[in-house]
Amino acid sequence: MQPLADRLRPKDINDIVGQSHIIGKGKIINKILENNTIPNMILYGPPGTGKTTLANIIANITNKKYIKLNAVNCGVKEIKDAIDSSRQDLFSYNGIVLMLDEIQALNRKQQQSLLEVIEDGSITLIASTADNPYFVVYKAILSRSTIFEFKTIERKDIIKGLNNAVKKLYELYTYENINVEDDALEYIADTCNGDMRSALNKLELVFNLGVDILSNSVNMTLDNAINCSGVKMLNYDRKGDDGYSILSAFHKSLRGSDADAAIHYLARLIKAGDIQAITRRLLCVASEDIGLAVPQAITITEACVSAALQLGLPEGRIPLAQATIYLATCPKSNSVITAIDMALNDLDNIETGDIPIHLKDAHYAGAKKLGRGVEYKYPHNYPYNYVEQQYLPDAIKDKKYYIPNKNKNEIAFETYWNNLKNIKK
């Protein structure tokens, strides 16, 4: 039997739940359909958010021949063959809509070949992908398409969709009563991760478990919802957009000193088992965002990271959480990354000049004849182990790369050196 999610798939734009940023009265998708001017589209977002449903609705409204293919199990030849076999029916249709799921499965050369079938305008491409299209779709296709991002469906919209589905169950079945506990629907909404298809699949399981043949009724209870829900799955692909976004949110929460948010995103990463990405990001934050504000942060973080890698998961979650909370609550400074990036930028963009001759290597015969190191002053031969001399090349001798931030440690070091240099004058 066809899954409930497919049998209840909306056939009207007004029945789609979620995606209120692009679907709804006055929104861009509705306007496109009203004007009947359908561009090539790339629908991008997580599974179960309405991408295929929208493509079906578009094909029906525009009276175009609808071809649906999945790039995972077909190539350009199969796509062209399907289109060629449909062209003979074009006198009955207003063109062809090619719905291509998982477009990222086509390699660059295959995507280039795909251009041929959409160039003349008789084919309207509606491609879908769960990956960021700017990473996986050929630029020439991107330039000929409008990208619409589908977002995970909010809890309230999932519940709305489930209630709509329950009403339609009366049309699909002949049971006298279908009793639904509100807590059951709320539990399904909480555990489907914003995926309407997943929610409907769970609803179908709860429905089947609740069938009582003797009373010719169905009781959809919270207990059944819990029993059939299993483990909540998170959207996470280590090389995909979701993975990078969680890591980005983790890093930015650490930088922003929000320990609660950082722990939340750490939990997502731990659930995904991506311990390597966590440890790399923690070590990076220790230098990039804390740096000299707390110089020992990198040492403490390295110890936590080493412990986590030795323990593995799940025990490794404890030192990872320790490092996360520690880094989030540390004073912040970006003086280290700012200094090195400025220096690297100068190497790429300006003439920095030669190393001062008194700093050049003088540990070989004949070095003094070349003037190498002759005028070098050894700091430890002077009071306070400091003597003023030029270290930067002449072309950039007045450059300032390290600019201390206003935190306890850097203020203390800056004060120390300013006082010492004033004594020397």
Side-chain angles (χ1 to χ4, degrees):
M1 182 183 291
Q2 189 181 21
L4 183 65
D6 289 332
R7 284 182 284 162
L8 298 183
R9 190 183 295 279
K11 294 180 173 58
D12 186 283
I13 190 72
N14 297 315
D15 293 332
I16 293 180
V17 295
Q19 314 311 329
S20 58
H21 60 296
I22 55 173
I23 297 175
K25 186 176 180 180
K27 298 298 175 66
I28 186 167
I29 294 294
N30 292 62
K31 288 183 176 179
I32 286 173
L33 295 179
E34 288 166 10
N35 296 332
N36 201 17
T37 53
I38 312 301
N40 294 314
M41 297 181 181
I42 296 176
L43 310 180
Y44 146 55
T49 51
K51 300 188 296 294
T52 301
T53 296
L54 177 62
N56 290 343
I57 291 171
I58 289 173
N60 291 331
I61 288 178
T62 56
N63 192 33
K64 290 178 181 285
K65 176 73 174 181
Y66 185 35
I67 304 172
K68 183 180 178 182
L69 297 170
N70 192 309
V72 172
N73 49 37
C74 75
V76 173
K77 182 181 183 302
E78 290 81 0
I79 294 171
K80 289 182 176 179
D81 288 346
I83 290 171
D84 289 340
S85 65
S86 298
R87 287 188 189 276
Q88 58 188 348
D89 297 328
L90 283 184
F91 67 89
S92 304
Y93 294 94
N94 187 29
I96 294 174
V97 170
L98 170 61
M99 174 59 187
L100 186 61
D101 278 329
E102 311 294 346
I103 189 174
Q104 79 281 351
L106 298 180
N107 61 37
R108 180 186 174 89
K109 183 172 288 187
Q110 289 174 318
Q111 290 188 35
Q112 286 175 321
S113 300
L114 186 59
L115 282 174
E116 298 174 18
V117 303
I118 64 173
E119 281 284 44
D120 65 1
S122 64
I123 309 297
T124 301
L125 174 68
I126 303 180
S128 72
T129 178
D131 296 335
N132 191 322
Y134 293 100
F135 296 163
V136 297
V137 178
Y138 181 49
K139 288 182 179 179
I141 292 179
L142 286 177
S143 69
R144 292 164 172 79
S145 306
T146 303
I147 298 172
F148 294 102
E149 181 178 4
F150 281 61
K151 300 178 181 179
T152 53
I153 302 175
E154 294 181 11
R155 181 179 183 274
K156 61 181 179 63
D157 290 323
I158 292 287
I159 292 174
K160 178 182 176 182
L162 290 172
N163 278 312
N164 291 341
V166 170
K167 292 175 184 176
K168 292 182 180 179
L169 288 174
Y170 283 99
E171 301 172 11
L172 296 173
Y173 298 94
T174 58
Y175 295 107
E176 288 186 14
N177 291 301
I178 299 177
N179 304 308
V180 185
E181 293 182 3
D182 290 340
D183 288 347
L185 299 187
E186 290 174 3
Y187 183 83
I188 292 172
D190 287 334
T191 57
C192 71
N193 202 37
D195 182 333
M196 193 70 232
R197 185 188 299 111
S198 173
L200 290 172
N201 288 339
K202 290 180 179 182
L203 181 72
E204 185 174 23
L205 281 173
V206 175
F207 179 87
N208 291 333
L209 285 175
V211 171
D212 185 339
I213 297 176
L214 293 177
S215 63
N216 193 33
S217 64
V218 181
N219 295 301
M220 302 171 71
T221 66
L222 174 61
D223 287 341
N224 283 342
I226 293 172
N227 289 334
C228 71
S229 283
V231 178
K232 180 180 178 183
M233 299 300 292
L234 294 176
N235 289 328
Y236 187 83
D237 178 355
R238 295 187 187 193
K239 296 182 179 180
D241 195 38
D242 289 319
Y244 289 128
S245 290
I246 296 172
L247 283 169
S248 175
F250 179 52
H251 191 144
K252 288 170 182 172
S253 298
L254 289 167
R255 179 186 293 148
S257 304
D258 190 327
D260 297 312
I263 281 290
H264 169 75
Y265 293 116
L266 173 66
R268 290 195 185 200
L269 293 165
I270 288 172
K271 273 285 188 182
D274 200 354
I275 193 169
Q276 291 293 338
I278 298 169
T279 57
R280 290 183 68 253
R281 198 58 61 127
L282 289 170
L283 289 167
C284 182
V285 169
S287 290
E288 178 182 348
D289 299 295
I290 293 163
L292 296 176
V294 187
Q296 67 270 29
I298 186 69
T299 305
I300 294 171
T301 303
E302 188 174 26
C304 289
V305 162
S306 177
L309 291 173
Q310 289 182 58
L311 289 169
L313 294 175
E315 290 85 355
R317 75 191 188 283
I318 304 168
L320 292 176
Q322 179 182 346
T324 295
I325 294 171
Y326 173 70
L327 293 176
T329 53
C330 274
K332 302 300 187 292
S333 171
N334 68 342
S335 60
V336 170
I337 188 174
T338 299
I340 187 59
D341 284 353
M342 287 172 61
L344 289 168
N345 183 69
D346 279 356
L347 290 176
D348 289 336
N349 295 288
I350 67 172
E351 179 55 54
T352 55
D354 195 16
I355 298 170
I357 194 167
H358 62 281
L359 299 182
K360 291 189 175 183
D361 180 29
H363 292 85
Y364 58 91
K368 288 187 177 181
K369 293 181 181 179
L370 297 174
R372 307 290 173 88
V374 173
E375 297 182 5
Y376 173 64
K377 299 173 184 177
Y378 185 57
H380 297 295
N381 289 337
Y382 296 84
Y384 306 103
N385 306 97
Y386 172 77
V387 61
E388 186 175 351
Q389 63 184 325
Q390 181 181 326
Y391 290 96
L392 281 169
D394 288 339
I396 56 170
K397 66 179 182 178
D398 296 321
K399 272 278 185 179
K400 295 290 183 186
Y401 292 115
Y402 170 57
I403 302 171
N405 275 196
K406 301 303 178 183
N407 57 73
K408 181 180 177 181
N409 280 311
E410 290 185 270
I411 289 172
F413 284 130
E414 184 180 25
T415 301
Y416 169 82
W417 284 109
N418 285 341
N419 291 337
L420 180 57
K421 290 174 182 178
N422 285 331
I423 292 172
K424 289 293 184 177
K425 287 182 179 177

